Amino acid sequence: ESSGSMRITPTMSHLPTDQLSPFLSESFSTSDYLHHILQAFTLGGANTSGEKNANAPNILPVNAPSSSSVNSNSATNAPSGQMNGSSSGSAQQSHASGPSLDLLASSSSSSSSTQYALSLTSSALHKLSQSLSHTNTQIQHHLSSSWGVLTNRIAQIDELREAHANLMREFQAMERIMHERRHFNSDEYRELETKIVEAHRLYAIVSTLRLVSRLLEWIREIDDGDLLRRDRVRCTKLVMNVLELYDERHELHGIHVVQESVQRVKRLQEQLKKEAQEQLMNALKQRQHMGISEALQIFYEMRTLRAEVTSLVAHAIQDTKTVLQNGLDPAKGDDITDSSSSFTQRFARHRSGRTSSGGGNPTGSSSSFDMFSNEAKTEYLFRVKEMFSNIHSLYMDIWHLNHMLRKKKCPDTQLSYEQIVIREEISRESVLENYWSSMTRIVTQEILTAINNIQFVKTIFTQEYPQILELFTEFAHKFTSYTEFLSRSGSSTLTPSQWITDSMKDIQQEFLIKCVTRLNERINGIFTRVRPPKNLADDNFSYMSMVDVRNFGNAVIMELHETKKSTTLLHQLSKRITSVLKQFSVQCETILIHNEAAFSVNIYKLPNIFQKFNAQIFNGLCTICSLISEIVPEYNQHPSVQKDLQSPLVTAKEQARDIVTPVFASIQKKMEDILLSLHLESYTSADSSEVSSYVKQLEQSLTFVCKEHLKLYQKDSSIVKSLSKSTAERLIQFFVRQISLLNPLQEEGRIKLANDMAQVELAVGSNLFHVEKLGTIHRQLKAFRKLLFMETDAIASSKNELVEEMDPLLIAQHLFSRVPPGADGLVLRPHQYMNVNLNAYNQFLEENNRDAVYKMLVRFVNEEKGKLQKRREEHKKASTEGEDSEEYEKWISEGKTVLATIGDVVKGEIAR
């Protein structure tokens, strides 16, 4: 009372369940009953229509006054009629049956109205209390045996919802009025307050019945056998509605039939959950999106979506770890592949046999099982491939799960299931991204663990790394189309290619080290068995083995071939092979003999041991260059690899060329010395059919050198071919130069020289290189043979054509032999003009450019012209008139023509 408010609402948990019993009686009309209670509180206790519901309990006093007797000034009451069960009709009838509480407020000075209201209320509540006095046993009996009656009663209560609201509003108005009158009628006020509390209790009972009705309606729909088969999602929604309502409203906990039904629903919930879990797993394996969708929706309705998805991903991660452990350890994992059982058993027997025998050969059938045989390696690699396939299958399960999580949305919030699952995650990673991160980490860790703990695995992964990498690359690339989340901006997760690099980097490094080690061991094996001779008389030495060199080259090719399918590995290995090949060249240089005896060829003796030893080194270098060069075109798609392989080959070829070039230079010098002796040959009165001595010597020397010296070197080597060609060019060019410096020749001498030219061409072509393939040099040789037999006038008239076919210097040098001899009867030659021998003149031609040579010849021509003119004048003075003047003038004129032709040729070349 001190608070100024009379609002009293009892807690629902305090309502006794036995108060529900009267509502289950077949003869009890809830509508009429509550209507008469309303009439009592509105002072409209009499039903003026004179009609009475036969089923309505008599809760009003017999002598209850009508509305007119209470207040003569009130309006005439409208007939109320019998209740029809509708809420609107009840509300209208309640107000039509008598005056409202306003009547009570208008007669505040009179206590008779209050007394009457109290008597009506007391009588009504007393009757109600009597009606609600059945025991809890009766309630349980009716709830378990008469569902139809209960449903009918609750339906009637639902229809009076509006009447309930009106009743509560009247209660509140009465509270205010009585609060104002409490100092006049304190006893009546307290009594009315008690009755109002009872009315609240009545209203709470009605509300509880409505909850029971709703809950049992849901349960009845759930119990429909077809619903579970037809629509499990709808069934799940009803189950969750029942359980949530039961958990929220504690007043339902005391009702036995509700408790039994809820327990049955809980069991159904567990069944639905288990079936949804099985459905999800089967749908993921079969990639059935409809099944995945339904299972996820069931979890969503059960409010366990995030927990189920998290649990499934966690199990997938654990399964991934188990698959890896069983797949990598050859003694485990018969569940990896059906064919792995025999391999696993053999490995286990092998391991146990080694243990039991103290590291010796195992007993029994395991004794013949070689764990490092090709068969064992092949079986294990197949096992690893199956392991990767199983892991990929697990990933695809999660991918399809994540795909459906993104598609399914909550109908209320329009949030995707994926957003619902990850919104509580700190990292905000998707389900798929979370699994990918875990999977990549676990795969890397388990592989390294297996390598560190199992020697067989370490051996396979290092020795067969290219095949392992191929399997791993194929495995990782399967994810390329299913890792779209990696393209998200700011993603720190490894891409498949990064994963390969990160996971295999340690193994790859060890593999590369082993590759280089294997190749270096072969190099060491080659040079360990090589012992250079200390001197020419040393018999205790050994040559480089070409078999070992060839095996080394094939090993390099094999290492490259095994890594060909992996671009990254191939590039890494090619860089290291570059160092290995350079190391081979360095070792060759270390044992090479550099003294003069190793490079100076004696064309009359067999090659010495120094030359033979160096020749083997040359052949070794050429063998490596040949083997590696053959495979370079196979790597056209990898320019950097080609560059890596060609770089050390350039060094090796230069080194090989440096070995053999001095040998060819020595041979060339010896052959040039022989050709120089042609100036000692007599071409004046000789038999034109006889071969000159220098030609014979040249032929014999070239044949001996090629047969005994040059055969030491690989003739199919590009270096030997190149040097042979250049030597042949040099000898023919030198020979033509020397014959262009011969003294004037008569017809017999020209014929003999032409025969010598043919023999020299044959000797050089049969031993070194075919002269007809020398191009310009061969054309000059042919042109000079033609020049020998041309008249001076013909040369002068066709000098331009001759210059196109041969070196102008050769033309000029030959024409000097046609200049008239001097007073001493000798014809001066260019080297004689320079006052040097032929060797010095040849050296002058080699060391100076053509411009300097031509200028020297111009000076020579001018001096000869002056000398010729002076001799003509002296001849005129000394001779008598008419004595040989005509013949001498012809001779002088021919000399002028020759010098003029030389001058024109030389000056033309200078101008050009």
Side-chain angles (χ1 to χ4, degrees):
E1 295 178 3
S2 61
S3 64
S5 173
M6 290 185 61
R7 184 75 51 87
I8 299 174
T9 304
T11 59
M12 299 300 180
S13 60
H14 295 158
L15 291 177
T17 56
D18 57 2
Q19 295 183 15
L20 300 173
S21 298
F23 294 93
L24 303 178
S25 173
E26 288 288 350
S27 60
F28 175 66
S29 174
T30 307
S31 302
D32 292 343
Y33 186 63
L34 291 179
H35 172 64
H36 284 293
I37 292 177
L38 184 62
Q39 284 182 326
F41 277 99
T42 57
L43 303 182
N47 191 336
T48 58
S49 65
E51 299 177 359
K52 186 173 181 178
N53 190 342
N55 295 329
N58 185 15
I59 63 172
L60 296 180
V62 177
N63 58 350
S66 65
S67 59
S68 58
S69 64
V70 175
N71 188 352
S72 59
N73 296 326
S74 64
T76 305
N77 294 335
S80 62
Q82 190 173 355
M83 291 293 291
N84 58 10
S86 66
S87 61
S88 60
S90 299
Q92 293 171 358
Q93 193 171 3
S94 66
H95 288 289
S97 62
S100 67
L101 288 177
D102 293 339
L103 179 62
L104 184 60
S106 64
S107 55
S108 59
S109 60
S110 174
S111 62
S112 59
S113 297
T114 303
Q115 285 294 112
Y116 183 66
L118 289 174
S119 65
L120 289 177
T121 302
S122 177
S123 176
L125 292 178
H126 177 69
K127 294 284 187 180
L128 180 61
S129 177
Q130 290 177 346
S131 299
L132 301 177
S133 61
H134 291 275
T135 63
N136 186 51
T137 303
Q138 291 174 317
I139 294 175
Q140 301 303 330
H141 172 74
H142 284 289
L143 287 174
S144 61
S145 63
S146 184
W147 282 90
V149 174
L150 175 61
T151 303
N152 183 48
R153 294 297 175 266
I154 296 176
Q156 293 176 7
I157 294 174
D158 285 340
E159 292 173 356
L160 292 176
R161 186 180 304 172
E162 185 68 25
H164 297 167
N166 293 335
L167 178 61
M168 292 308 297
R169 283 195 294 272
E170 298 293 357
F171 280 169
Q172 293 169 3
M174 185 180 292
E175 289 175 3
R176 288 193 301 271
I177 295 172
M178 295 308 297
H179 178 69
E180 294 174 356
R181 290 190 167 194
R182 67 181 182 276
H183 58 284
F184 296 110
N185 305 290
S186 58
D187 293 338
E188 294 87 344
Y189 169 77
R190 282 190 293 271
E191 186 177 353
L192 183 59
E193 179 183 30
T194 302
K195 303 307 179 183
I196 291 174
V197 170
E198 291 298 324
H200 274 290
R201 291 169 62 83
L202 257 178
Y203 190 80
I205 291 172
V206 172
S207 299
T208 302
L209 287 174
R210 292 182 69 247
L211 293 177
V212 172
S213 171
R214 187 189 312 168
L215 185 142
L216 294 181
E217 279 295 324
W218 289 338
I219 294 176
R220 183 174 65 179
E221 187 176 354
I222 291 171
D223 287 340
D224 183 2
D226 291 336
L227 180 64
L228 187 58
R229 294 191 303 271
R230 184 177 69 253
D231 191 350
R232 292 200 301 168
V233 175
R234 168 65 180 168
C235 185
T236 304
K237 289 182 179 179
L238 293 174
V239 166
M240 296 309 299
N241 288 343
V242 169
L243 296 180
E244 288 177 353
L245 180 61
Y246 183 77
D247 291 339
E248 291 174 1
R249 306 305 291 267
H250 297 286
E251 60 266 32
L252 299 176
H253 293 186
I255 303 175
H256 182 67
V257 68
V258 173
Q259 291 178 336
E260 286 186 349
S261 300
V262 168
Q263 291 301 320
R264 189 171 68 256
V265 170
K266 287 182 178 180
R267 290 193 295 272
L268 179 60
Q269 180 195 26
E270 291 300 320
Q271 177 186 346
L272 287 169
K273 181 179 179 180
K274 183 177 179 181
E275 291 177 354
Q277 291 171 341
E278 294 176 354
Q279 177 185 358
L280 179 59
M281 294 305 299
N282 293 333
L284 286 173
K285 296 299 181 186
Q286 300 174 12
R287 309 295 186 248
Q288 296 177 349
H289 286 186
M290 291 296 295
I292 299 173
S293 174
E294 183 180 27
L296 291 178
Q297 190 169 353
I298 289 174
F299 293 141
Y300 172 76
E301 298 296 341
M302 287 186 177
R303 318 298 188 261
T304 60
L305 176 63
R306 182 175 181 275
E308 291 295 336
V309 170
T310 302
S311 175
L312 191 148
V313 173
H315 279 88
I317 293 173
Q318 183 59 42
D319 290 346
T320 301
K321 189 173 183 179
T322 302
V323 168
L324 279 163
Q325 291 174 344
N326 292 339
L328 292 171
D329 190 347
K332 289 183 180 181
D334 291 348
D335 59 326
I336 297 298
T337 61
D338 294 338
S339 63
S340 67
S341 177
S342 59
F343 176 77
T344 302
Q345 293 170 2
R346 285 185 293 168
F347 184 87
R349 288 197 302 269
H350 174 80
R351 178 150 42 179
S352 62
R354 288 179 60 87
T355 304
S356 62
S357 60
N361 291 329
T363 60
S365 60
S366 63
S367 60
S368 60
F369 179 57
D370 183 4
M371 283 306 301
F372 298 99
S373 65
N374 292 332
E375 178 187 4
K377 292 176 182 178
T378 301
E379 289 187 43
Y380 185 76
L381 290 174
F382 178 76
R383 177 191 184 93
V384 171
K385 183 177 181 179
E386 290 297 317
M387 175 191 73
F388 284 150
S389 177
N390 291 338
I391 296 174
H392 179 259
S393 179
L394 287 171
Y395 177 85
M396 293 309 299
D397 291 348
I398 304 301
W399 185 88
H400 285 282
L401 172 66
N402 190 74
H403 178 71
M404 294 311 299
L405 287 172
R406 297 177 66 180
K407 288 186 65 175
K408 294 285 290 182
K409 291 186 178 181
C410 171
D412 298 329
T413 62
Q414 292 301 308
L415 291 175
S416 67
Y417 282 7
E418 182 186 39
Q419 292 173 309
I420 294 173
V421 169
I422 68 174
R423 62 184 174 184
E424 297 181 13
E425 297 288 343
I426 298 176
S427 63
R428 297 292 182 181
E429 288 184 344
S430 67
V431 170
L432 186 62
E433 188 172 0
N434 181 26
Y435 177 75
W436 171 263
S437 300
S438 301
M439 182 195 72
T440 52
R441 174 177 48 80
I442 290 173
V443 169
T444 303
Q445 290 177 350
E446 291 301 325
I447 288 177
L448 293 178
T449 300
I451 290 174
N452 292 331
N453 297 334
I454 306 174
Q455 182 60 37
F456 174 77
V457 177
K458 182 177 182 179
T459 302
I460 294 294
F461 270 71
T462 52
Q463 290 185 354
E464 309 298 327
Y465 175 73
Q467 293 177 268
I468 293 291
L469 181 61
E470 181 182 355
L471 292 176
F472 198 97
T473 303
E474 179 184 352
F475 165 61
H477 284 174
K478 289 181 179 179
F479 300 101
T480 304
S481 301
Y482 300 97
T483 50
E484 61 278 359
F485 58 87
L486 297 177
S487 61
R488 187 182 66 223
S489 177
S491 176
S492 58
T493 310
L494 294 175
T495 62
S497 59
Q498 292 171 336
W499 179 31
I500 296 173
T501 303
D502 186 66
S503 300
M504 297 285 104
K505 60 182 180 181
D506 293 337
I507 307 172
Q508 178 172 296
Q509 186 66 23
E510 186 167 353
F511 168 77
L512 293 173
I513 291 174
K514 285 187 174 295
C515 286
V516 174
T517 301
R518 288 194 294 267
L519 296 176
N520 283 331
E521 287 175 354
R522 287 187 177 273
I523 292 177
N524 293 335
I526 292 172
F527 291 97
T528 300
R529 290 186 284 272
V530 175
R531 183 181 180 277
K534 296 179 180 178
N535 51 63
L536 293 175
D538 188 2
D539 293 332
N540 187 22
F541 69 95
S542 56
Y543 296 113
M544 178 183 288
S545 170
M546 291 299 102
V547 175
D548 291 345
V549 172
R550 196 170 290 107
N551 290 338
F552 165 67
N554 290 330
V556 172
I557 295 172
M558 184 61 66
E559 297 288 359
L560 287 168
H561 180 73
E562 289 183 353
T563 62
K564 194 173 182 179
K565 293 183 179 181
S566 172
T567 301
T568 303
L569 182 60
L570 179 62
H571 288 183
Q572 293 292 329
L573 182 60
S574 66
K575 294 182 183 302
R576 287 163 173 78
I577 286 180
T578 299
S579 301
V580 172
L581 295 176
K582 288 182 178 180
Q583 178 64 25
F584 178 80
S585 298
V586 170
Q587 293 279 47
C588 288
E589 183 66 26
T590 302
I591 63 173
L592 188 66
I593 299 174
H594 294 277
N595 59 41
E596 184 179 357
F599 302 110
S600 179
V601 176
N602 188 332
I603 60 176
Y604 304 107
K605 293 184 179 180
L606 294 174
N608 58 49
I609 58 175
F610 288 168
Q611 294 167 348
K612 293 178 180 179
F613 184 84
N614 283 356
Q616 285 295 88
I617 297 176
F618 170 86
N619 293 336
L621 290 168
C622 290
T623 299
I624 291 299
C625 292
S626 176
L627 290 173
I628 303 303
S629 296
E630 288 178 0
I631 67 167
V632 169
E634 298 180 12
Y635 301 94
N636 289 332
Q637 303 299 323
H638 309 281
S640 62
V641 174
Q642 289 184 319
K643 183 178 179 181
D644 290 338
L645 296 178
Q646 290 170 343
S647 175
L649 297 186
V650 172
T651 303
K653 288 179 180 179
E654 290 177 353
Q655 188 176 3
R657 183 179 290 275
D658 291 341
I659 294 174
V660 75
T661 297
V663 175
F664 274 89
S666 177
I667 294 172
Q668 177 182 305
K669 182 66 173 62
K670 298 294 193 300
M671 297 304 114
E672 288 178 353
D673 291 342
I674 293 174
L675 290 175
L676 277 174
S677 64
L678 66 84
H679 293 284
L680 303 176
E681 193 72 28
S682 175
Y683 286 99
T684 56
S685 59
D687 186 359
S688 60
S689 62
E690 184 181 356
V691 179
S692 300
S693 60
Y694 76 92
V695 175
K696 293 179 181 178
Q697 186 182 5
L698 178 70
E699 184 177 5
Q700 292 173 356
S701 299
L702 281 177
T703 302
F704 179 80
V705 166
C706 290
K707 182 179 178 180
E708 300 298 337
H709 288 267
L710 297 185
K711 76 171 185 179
L712 298 175
Y713 308 94
Q714 291 183 359
K715 293 199 69 174
D716 58 347
S717 166
S718 60
I719 298 174
V720 172
K721 290 180 179 180
S722 174
L723 290 174
S724 296
K725 179 181 178 181
S726 62
T727 302
E729 288 179 342
R730 171 65 182 177
L731 291 179
I732 296 298
Q733 185 181 29
F734 187 84
F735 174 64
V736 175
R737 182 191 299 166
Q738 299 312 310
I739 61 178
S740 69
L741 293 171
L742 284 173
N743 291 322
L745 301 174
Q746 300 300 322
E747 186 66 23
E748 294 80 3
R750 294 175 184 176
I751 294 174
K752 182 179 180 180
L753 180 58
N755 291 335
D756 288 348
M757 293 172 67
Q759 292 299 319
V760 169
E761 179 181 355
L762 179 62
V764 172
S766 60
N767 291 288
L768 292 176
F769 194 85
H770 295 296
V771 178
E772 61 270 14
K773 295 182 180 180
L774 293 179
T776 302
I777 300 298
H778 183 245
R779 289 195 299 271
Q780 288 186 6
L781 182 64
K782 291 173 62 177
F784 193 85
R785 185 182 292 116
K786 176 182 176 182
L787 182 67
L788 281 177
F789 299 95
M790 292 179 67
E791 296 296 334
T792 303
D793 293 338
I795 294 174
S797 61
S798 60
K799 60 180 180 297
N800 293 332
E801 289 78 3
L802 289 172
V803 168
E804 294 294 330
E805 294 180 357
M806 62 187 302
D807 188 354
L809 179 61
L810 299 177
I811 300 174
Q813 289 181 155
H814 172 69
L815 288 175
F816 274 114
S817 66
R818 301 192 182 201
V819 176
D824 54 1
L826 298 177
V827 177
L828 200 62
R829 316 300 290 149
H831 62 283
Q832 295 169 341
Y833 169 74
M834 294 177 62
N835 197 24
V836 295
N837 60 26
L838 287 170
N839 284 330
Y841 178 69
N842 285 320
Q843 186 175 359
F844 169 77
L845 296 180
E846 296 291 341
E847 295 177 355
N848 293 273
N849 57 34
R850 284 302 177 91
D851 187 55
V853 175
Y854 289 147
K855 288 179 179 179
M856 179 273 294
L857 292 178
V858 169
R859 292 195 301 271
F860 183 22
V861 168
N862 292 334
E863 289 183 11
E864 286 298 306
K865 284 182 179 180
K867 291 179 180 180
L868 192 62
Q869 182 64 27
K870 183 178 179 180
R871 289 172 59 194
R872 179 182 183 186
E873 293 175 355
E874 290 177 351
H875 183 271
K876 285 182 178 182
K877 292 178 182 181
S879 64
T880 60
E881 184 177 353
E883 183 181 357
D884 297 330
S885 59
E886 183 177 352
E887 184 179 353
Y888 191 80
E889 286 295 330
K890 182 180 178 182
W891 184 68
I892 293 295
S893 176
E894 183 178 351
K896 289 182 177 181
T897 302
V898 171
L899 292 174
T901 302
I902 295 173
D904 291 342
V905 171
V906 173
K907 292 177 180 178
E909 285 300 303
I910 293 175
R912 188 170 63 83

